[in-house]
């Protein structure tokens, strides 16, 4: 019916199948997830919540959304879940709204050290609605909980925010909870603790790190990164008093009708993520990420190291080129990454001193530890010389990607 769109889709599938996807915030949903996302549920308007809709004919979508909620609660071990947010940014908007008044102060990670736009960027609603103060990483590029403790007593925020877009190490949520509790007890304040686990939701689901839901007042996430679901968001809490405020902040305050077809796809993803197969998949993600980082270090490059699905590569120190140049050159050989600020970066976000490398997507297609090491060598060969043989490297990339599973047929 629409040859132009069909051709664009064909070309995008060809691009994805023929290359190596290393953007840490991308992954490949299963065919079942994609079928649910394109289902007849897209035709149903369902403003409100199950049992409290503004439209008739919602009996079946009520069952659907309740099923998604129950699967989500079981997966993350929480009492309440809102699965309606259209994105992680909208989830954060509603989460802030449920706990704060306009102008209240939020303490979050310095954006150049790995924060997200909605964690206080001047171009985001966040910094235009709330006051932000920031804590930096320690000199070693890791969270320094002593600094966080000092900052919370100094800045006196109403909310401490954790969870990051480009942080390659484990996060001690229990220690951050203890800092908030100490501050509240000492000052008589009621500072909240919130975690944005968008990047590590899959790691949490696979039980490969601390579950922030055990410690935070509110947890937000996307569903399309390491969780391997459709593009969307969610909000979790164990506090009944906040659950009602969260629901109101999502609808009617910030969103209209929920995307029930996407909620159906989220439900499928929650079921997939609850399996032993998903845990094994995540073991491979961790193994592959470390293998690639270690191989680059062996070749003389400066990597952040890793304890999760991503690492940061200092391209200035490693190759004498900025992150934008590295991203462009790797794109020419079929390796997709994104330029990224690194700890202590002296360049602007337009150029950056590094790139962010993630293995959630490549692992979904079947990437092995040995192939992850080869990807490290491919990155090195593409960036270490001023005039690399890009055609030869692209052929190696195509051969490797061609040995993996077809994205259109993936099932987990």
């Amino acid at each position: 019916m629409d040859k132009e769109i069909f051709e664009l889709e064909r070309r995008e599938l060809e691009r994805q199948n023929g290359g190596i996807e290393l953007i840490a915030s991308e992954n490949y949903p299963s065919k079942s997830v994609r079928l649910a996302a394109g289902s007849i549920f897209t035709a149903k308007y369902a403003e409100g919540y199950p049992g409290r809709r503004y439209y008739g004919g919602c009996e079946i979508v009520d069952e659907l959304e309740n099923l998604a909620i129950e699967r989500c609660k079981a997966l993350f071990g929480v009492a309440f879940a809102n699965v309606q947010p259209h994105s992680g940014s909208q989830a954060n908007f509603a989460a802030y709204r449920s706990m704060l008044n306009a102008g209240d102060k939020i303490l979050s990670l310095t954006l150049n050290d790995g924060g997200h736009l909605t964690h206080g960027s001047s171009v985001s609603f966040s910094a235009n609605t709330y006051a932000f103060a920031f804590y930096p990483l320690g000199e070693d590029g890791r969270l320094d909980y002593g600094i966080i403790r000092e900052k919370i007593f100094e800045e006196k925020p109403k909310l401490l925010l954790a969870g990051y877009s480009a942080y390659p190490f484990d996060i001690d949520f229990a220690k951050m909870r203890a800092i908030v509790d100490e501050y509240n007890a000492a000052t008589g304040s009621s500072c909240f603790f919130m975690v944005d686990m968008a990047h590590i939701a899959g790691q949490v689901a696979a039980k490969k790190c601390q579950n922030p839901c055990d410690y935070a007042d509110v947890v937000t996430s996307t569903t399309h990164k390491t969780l391997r679901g459709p593009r969307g968001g969610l909000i979790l809490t164990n506090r009944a008093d906040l659950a009602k405020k969260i629901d109101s902040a999502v609808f009617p305050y910030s969103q209209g009708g929920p995307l029930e077809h996407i909620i159906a796809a989220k439900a499928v993803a929650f079921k997939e993520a609850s399996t032993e197969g998903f845990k094994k998949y995540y073991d491979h993600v961790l193994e592959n990420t470390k293998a690639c980082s270690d191989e680059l270090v062996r070749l003389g490059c400066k990597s952040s190291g890793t304890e999760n699905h991503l690492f940061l590569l200092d391209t200035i120190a490693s190759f004498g080129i900025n992150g934008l140049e590295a991203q462009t050159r790797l794109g020419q050989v079929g390796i997709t990454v994104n330029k990224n600020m690194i700890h202590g970066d002296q360049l602007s976000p337009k150029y950056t001193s590094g790139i962010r490398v993630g293995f959630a997507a490549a692992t979904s297609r079947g990437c092995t530890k040995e192939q992850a090491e080869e990807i490290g060598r491919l990155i090195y060969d593409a960036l270490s010389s001023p005039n690399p043989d890009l055609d030869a490297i692209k052929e190696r990339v195509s051969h490797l990607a061609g040995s993996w599973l077809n994205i259109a047929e993936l099932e987990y």
Side-chain angles (χ1 to χ4, degrees):
M1 286 294 293
D2 193 326
K3 293 181 180 180
E4 293 170 293
I5 297 299
F6 181 84
E7 177 61 14
L8 290 171
E9 184 176 348
R10 183 197 64 77
R11 285 169 52 200
E12 178 62 10
L13 179 60
E14 185 178 83
R15 183 194 70 81
Q16 292 189 19
N17 271 325
I20 298 174
E21 181 57 70
L22 298 180
I23 293 179
S25 52
E26 293 189 11
N27 210 335
Y28 299 116
S30 68
K31 189 173 183 179
S32 293
V33 167
R34 291 190 295 108
L35 287 171
S39 68
I40 193 61
F41 288 118
T42 193
K44 187 70 194 88
Y45 222 122
E47 281 187 342
Y49 291 99
R52 298 176 286 127
R53 304 290 190 182
Y54 283 51
Y55 289 82
C58 290
E59 295 81 6
I60 296 173
V61 294
D62 279 2
E63 291 185 45
L64 166 70
E65 191 167 331
N66 279 328
L67 180 59
I69 289 168
E70 292 306 313
R71 287 180 177 180
C72 185
K73 287 160 54 178
L75 182 64
F76 293 111
V78 291
F80 303 96
N82 189 306
V83 297
Q84 289 194 5
H86 299 336
S87 70
S89 293
Q90 287 177 290
N92 285 347
F93 181 97
Y96 295 155
R97 170 76 180 180
S98 71
M99 294 178 280
L100 305 173
N101 295 314
D104 283 348
K105 184 180 287 187
I106 298 173
L107 181 62
S108 67
L109 179 66
T110 302
L111 298 178
N112 289 356
D113 277 348
H116 186 259
L117 289 178
T118 59
H119 297 179
S121 170
S122 61
V123 301
S124 162
F125 75 86
S126 54
N128 288 278
T129 308
Y130 305 100
F132 274 81
F134 300 95
Y135 54 90
L137 294 177
E139 292 184 4
D140 59 357
R142 292 173 178 262
L143 290 169
D144 184 320
Y145 298 96
I147 291 177
I148 295 172
R149 182 184 179 279
E150 291 175 6
K151 284 289 184 180
I152 198 171
F153 276 90
E154 176 186 329
E155 296 292 345
K156 300 176 175 56
K158 292 292 291 183
L159 186 148
L160 174 64
L161 179 61
Y164 317 106
S165 290
Y167 186 69
F169 306 114
D170 286 337
I171 304 168
D172 194 334
F173 299 115
K175 189 169 289 186
M176 297 183 92
R177 175 79 260 173
I179 291 170
V180 172
D181 289 345
E182 179 192 358
Y183 169 73
N184 285 340
T187 64
S189 302
S190 55
C191 179
F192 294 98
F193 178 34
M194 173 179 154
V195 173
D196 178 347
M197 68 169 185
H199 263 275
I200 60 167
Q203 193 160 334
V204 174
K207 296 178 173 57
K208 305 298 179 182
C209 64
Q210 283 185 6
N211 184 347
C213 298
D214 294 338
Y215 306 100
D217 296 293
V218 174
V219 175
T220 62
S221 182
T222 55
T223 51
H224 54 274
K225 298 183 178 78
T226 53
L227 198 57
R228 210 158 58 176
R231 301 194 70 83
L234 55 86
I235 309 175
L236 312 170
T237 186
N238 283 309
R239 291 184 51 168
D241 59 327
L242 290 179
K244 291 182 179 180
K245 293 180 179 180
I246 288 167
D247 285 352
S248 296
V250 174
F251 176 85
Y253 190 79
S254 62
Q255 290 188 181
L259 308 177
E260 292 294 342
H261 55 303
I262 299 301
I263 290 174
K266 290 176 184 178
V268 175
F270 297 150
K271 184 175 183 178
E272 291 176 350
S274 69
T275 65
E276 287 301 313
F278 187 86
K279 292 179 181 179
K280 292 178 181 177
Y281 155 73
Y282 217 88
D283 283 333
H284 291 308
V285 172
L286 299 174
E287 179 181 58
N288 290 344
T289 311
K290 186 176 187 303
C292 184
S293 175
D294 288 351
E295 180 64 10
L296 283 161
V297 170
R298 187 188 71 79
L299 292 168
C301 301
K302 186 177 181 180
S303 168
S304 63
T306 181
E307 293 170 354
N308 56 27
H309 65 295
L310 67 87
F311 63 89
L312 299 174
L313 183 63
D314 185 332
T315 57
I316 294 288
S318 302
F319 311 111
I321 61 176
N322 64 46
L324 178 59
E325 292 177 280
Q327 173 185 304
T328 301
R329 192 181 299 178
L330 289 172
Q332 291 172 337
V333 300
I335 298 176
T336 310
V337 300
N338 64 277
K339 65 183 187 295
N340 212 94
M341 304 289 283
I342 61 175
H343 179 55
D345 209 319
Q346 298 300 306
L347 298 183
S348 71
K350 182 179 179 180
Y351 297 102
T352 79
S353 294
I355 57 174
R356 184 181 64 166
V357 180
F359 269 84
T363 305
S364 289
R365 292 189 64 194
C367 179
T368 65
K369 177 183 177 182
E370 292 73 22
Q371 290 172 331
E373 292 171 341
E374 171 62 12
I375 290 170
R377 292 189 287 272
L378 287 166
I379 292 172
Y380 180 83
D381 291 347
L383 302 181
S384 59
S385 169
N387 297 295
D389 187 342
L390 295 181
D391 288 338
I393 298 171
K394 186 173 184 179
E395 180 62 30
R396 289 163 59 195
V397 168
S398 180
H399 178 76
L400 178 56
S403 70
W404 292 341
L405 299 170
N406 185 324
I407 296 162
E409 301 301 325
L410 290 177
E411 283 291 9
Y412 306 121

